């Protein structure tokens, strides 16, 4: 009996530690996504939130790498994360928070999504195994560097990249590199739970409710992508890609569990696939 009590107490402590670690990891991910980093200021500096002096010789506060706001570490918790990013501070396209990129460029969606999809629809909808077949990794990296370097002026035409699988690979890589996935960490578990509902009508309604919780830039990007993927399925007789096949490809690309757990990822794969499949098949109703 005594040993059982000790075991239960130990389990409780372990659970607290696991939750704490997950919380810290989540905060770190959000900090990276929002561009807030600890900074050492040269000379006297005052917090732009509370207007009080920043004490210390090093790491006196934090600076937003998107808009340049300088505040105390504690004050950063109270500052709304809806700053207007300065385009001069956005150094790249890939690995940049989706909302930050959209605000900086004053667009509805990341321009890399628009440009890649336009190119794919212009010359690749009938390509066999579209999105399933991989392009050469080094060429995909070239496209990534072109977007990071040239932005919307990046040339991804057939003259430069005749293999359409390089463009689809670059688009998938963009989604995988997002610090916060298109289907956000906050909504991940809600989507998974919706996918587990057996009744098709109730499941569709639940998915629609969770979609409404996505941030505007994430929602718009997902909507635009699903309209595109629906067009891909309309050419299934040529490309052999239906909604289920695309769900297998895009499930883990668009949604990742908040905790870095291989077991959770493997367990959720069929639900990830199902969510994307539902979004494609019902894009006209859900969006």
């Amino acid at each position: 009996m005594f040993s059982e009590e000790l075991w239960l107490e130990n389990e409780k402590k372990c659970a607290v530690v696991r939750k704490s670690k997950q919380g810290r990891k989540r905060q770190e991910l959000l900090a990276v996504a929002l561009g807030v980093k600890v900074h050492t200021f040269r000379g006297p500096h005052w917090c732009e939130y509370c207007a009080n002096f920043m004490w210390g010789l090093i790491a006196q506060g934090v600076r937003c790498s998107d808009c340049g706001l300088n505040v105390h570490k504690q004050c950063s918790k109270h500052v709304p994360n809806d700053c207007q990013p300065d385009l001069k501070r956005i150094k790249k396209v890939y690995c940049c928070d989706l909302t930050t990129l959209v605000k900086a460029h004053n667009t509805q969606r990341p321009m890399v999504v628009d440009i890649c999809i336009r190119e794919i629809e212009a010359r690749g909808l009938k390509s066999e195994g579209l999105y399933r077949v991989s392009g050469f990794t080094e060429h995909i990296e070239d496209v990534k560097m072109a977007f990071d370097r040239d932005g919307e002026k990046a040339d991804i035409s057939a003259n430069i990249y005749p293999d359409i699988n390089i463009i689809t690979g670059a688009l998938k890589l963009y989604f995988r590199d997002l610090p916060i996935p298109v289907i956000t960490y906050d909504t991940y578990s809600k989507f998974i739970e919706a996918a587990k509902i057996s009744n098709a009508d109730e499941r569709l309604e639940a998915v629609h409710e969770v979609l409404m919780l996505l941030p505007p830039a994430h929602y718009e990007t997902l909507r635009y992508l699903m309209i595109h993927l629906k067009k891909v399925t309309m050419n299934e007789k040529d490309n052999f890609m239906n909604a289920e096949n695309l769900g297998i490809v895009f499930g883990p690309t668009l949604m990742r569990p908040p905790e870095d757990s291989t077991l959770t990822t493997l367990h959720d794969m069929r639900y990830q696939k199902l969510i994307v499949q539902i979004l494609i098949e019902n894009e006209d109703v859900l969006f």
Side-chain angles (χ1 to χ4, degrees):
M1 184 70 178
F2 181 67
S3 61
E4 184 178 347
E5 289 177 353
L6 283 175
W7 179 82
L8 287 171
E9 185 65 26
N10 186 58
E11 278 295 294
K12 289 179 182 178
K13 289 180 180 178
C14 288
V16 170
V17 170
R18 284 195 296 268
K19 189 172 182 180
S20 176
K21 286 182 177 178
Q22 289 175 7
R24 285 199 301 271
K25 181 176 178 61
R26 183 173 181 74
Q27 288 300 319
E28 289 170 3
L29 285 168
L30 289 173
V32 170
L34 298 172
V36 179
K37 296 179 182 177
V38 175
H39 188 76
T40 296
F41 299 95
R42 294 182 180 180
H45 258 79
W46 283 262
C47 174
E48 295 177 42
Y49 179 77
C50 70
N52 288 320
F53 184 70
M54 290 187 181
W55 296 96
L57 298 175
I58 60 171
Q60 304 97 323
V62 297
R63 168 175 287 175
C64 177
S65 59
D66 294 338
C67 68
L69 184 73
N70 303 318
V71 294
H72 288 114
K73 293 177 187 176
Q74 291 300 316
C75 288
S76 67
K77 300 175 183 177
H78 306 292
V79 177
N81 55 18
D82 59 350
C83 66
Q84 182 58 48
D86 184 348
L87 194 55
K88 294 177 183 177
R89 293 178 177 272
I90 307 299
K91 304 297 183 183
K92 54 188 177 181
V93 173
Y94 280 69
C95 302
C96 178
D97 175 56
L98 195 157
T99 299
T100 297
L101 192 67
V102 165
K103 282 188 175 183
H105 289 272
N106 193 28
T107 57
Q108 286 185 297
R109 302 172 296 275
M111 50 85 177
V112 62
V113 175
D114 279 9
I115 294 171
C116 285
I117 286 179
R118 278 202 302 268
E119 192 67 25
I120 293 163
E121 291 187 354
R123 60 185 174 98
L125 285 178
K126 296 185 178 182
S127 178
E128 185 175 339
L130 190 68
Y131 285 113
R132 180 177 54 79
V133 177
S134 300
F136 287 112
T137 303
E138 60 186 76
H139 293 161
I140 292 172
E141 286 293 327
D142 286 344
V143 174
K144 173 183 176 179
M145 287 190 291
F147 276 117
D148 282 342
R149 182 183 63 246
D150 305 324
E152 60 185 13
K153 295 180 181 178
D155 186 358
I156 61 169
S157 65
N159 293 331
I160 309 297
Y161 302 105
D163 183 5
I164 197 63
N165 298 310
I166 294 169
I167 311 304
T168 59
L171 181 60
K172 289 187 293 182
L173 180 62
Y174 171 76
F175 290 131
R176 287 197 302 270
D177 278 356
L178 286 172
I180 297 178
V182 176
I183 291 178
T184 61
Y185 293 123
D186 287 339
T187 59
Y188 178 86
S189 60
K190 294 180 178 66
F191 272 109
I192 295 298
E193 290 306 310
K196 293 178 180 179
I197 298 173
S198 56
N199 182 279
D201 291 335
E202 292 178 6
R203 184 171 58 211
L204 193 64
E205 182 61 31
V207 169
H208 182 261
E209 288 178 4
V210 186
L211 276 174
M212 296 299 103
L213 301 177
L214 289 174
H218 288 251
Y219 177 89
E220 174 58 27
T221 300
L222 188 62
R223 183 192 70 83
Y224 191 71
L225 177 63
M226 291 306 120
I227 291 173
H228 164 65
L229 294 182
K230 187 68 171 285
K231 293 178 183 177
V232 173
T233 64
M234 291 169 66
N235 289 273
E236 181 188 352
K237 61 182 179 63
D238 296 305
N239 59 39
F240 301 105
M241 295 299 289
N242 56 29
E244 184 177 4
N245 294 335
L246 290 168
I248 294 171
V249 173
F250 277 95
T253 302
L254 297 176
M255 53 194 305
R256 304 189 295 273
E259 66 281 0
D260 187 14
S261 169
T262 304
L263 189 61
T264 301
T265 301
L266 289 173
H267 179 266
D268 290 350
M269 280 183 69
R270 60 174 173 159
Y271 300 116
Q272 293 173 348
K273 180 212 75 170
L274 182 57
I275 285 296
V276 175
Q277 182 178 343
I278 290 170
L279 293 175
I280 295 172
E281 292 174 342
N282 301 278
E283 60 83 17
D284 55 334
V285 175
L286 291 172
F287 297 97

